[in-house]
Amino acid sequence: MKSGALGYMLKEMDADAIVQAIKVVAAGGSYLHPKVTRNLVAEYRRLSEREHKGYFHQNDIRRPLHLLTRRECEVLQLLTDGQSNRTIGETLFISEKTVKNHVSSILQKMSVNDRTQAVVTAIKNGWVEVK
């Protein structure tokens, strides 16, 4: 949603529901499947509270443009904050498996063996903020 999506559908939706959702968005509206609305509102509140308390500020992430994608930089910042794969996934609205894939990619691109080495390297290079 933050990136500009106007709707969210589920894979399990039938063809008629998908067509209806597309029509709504095409007419200038937005569509959220009812199953995700409650979770989305709860997560929005949780993130707003965290941001208000100063726990997570995406604007503070400095991206090593030559090396990592924007999402990998976000994951690296959250690794620096000591978050688990599960918590990172919840924070970024991605699956734990996707987080693991990002971490593997980060380690490979940075030529390090583990998360700790990645975080230390990122801190030394000023790519992350230490809170």
Side-chain angles (χ1 to χ4, degrees):
M1 296 293 156
K2 192 172 187 178
S3 298
L6 297 174
Y8 191 93
M9 301 185 296
L10 299 180
K11 293 177 188 176
E12 63 196 45
M13 291 173 56
D14 64 34
D16 291 336
I18 292 171
V19 169
Q20 184 59 35
I22 291 170
K23 286 180 180 179
V24 168
V25 173
S30 58
Y31 176 85
L32 288 177
H33 191 280
K35 285 187 177 180
V36 283
T37 304
R38 182 176 182 191
N39 290 341
L40 183 66
V41 170
E43 189 63 18
Y44 176 81
R45 286 182 181 152
R46 187 184 71 80
L47 289 174
S48 293
E49 182 178 313
R50 289 188 62 156
E51 186 171 12
H52 178 72
K53 291 180 180 178
Y55 293 142
F56 179 71
H57 296 282
Q58 284 186 313
N59 294 338
D60 295 337
I61 298 171
R62 295 177 202 95
R63 179 177 174 195
L65 297 171
H66 66 286
L67 194 60
L68 304 177
T69 66
R70 178 188 60 80
R71 179 61 93 190
E72 289 168 346
C73 290
E74 292 170 344
V75 170
L76 183 58
Q77 176 63 56
L78 295 170
L79 288 174
T80 301
D81 296 341
Q83 292 192 20
S84 67
N85 288 349
R86 177 183 232 167
T87 306
I88 292 170
E90 291 170 356
T91 301
L92 297 178
F93 302 104
I94 59 178
S95 72
E96 191 171 346
K97 183 179 184 320
T98 300
V99 174
K100 289 177 184 180
N101 290 338
H102 284 307
V103 171
S104 294
S105 180
I106 290 166
L107 298 181
Q108 182 180 23
K109 288 179 178 181
M110 292 179 69
S111 299
V112 295
N113 296 320
D114 57 42
R115 298 159 72 107
T116 303
Q117 289 178 347
V119 168
V120 169
T121 300
I123 291 169
K124 285 181 179 178
N125 286 296
W127 296 343
V128 293
E129 178 182 315
V130 179
K131 299 175 184 174

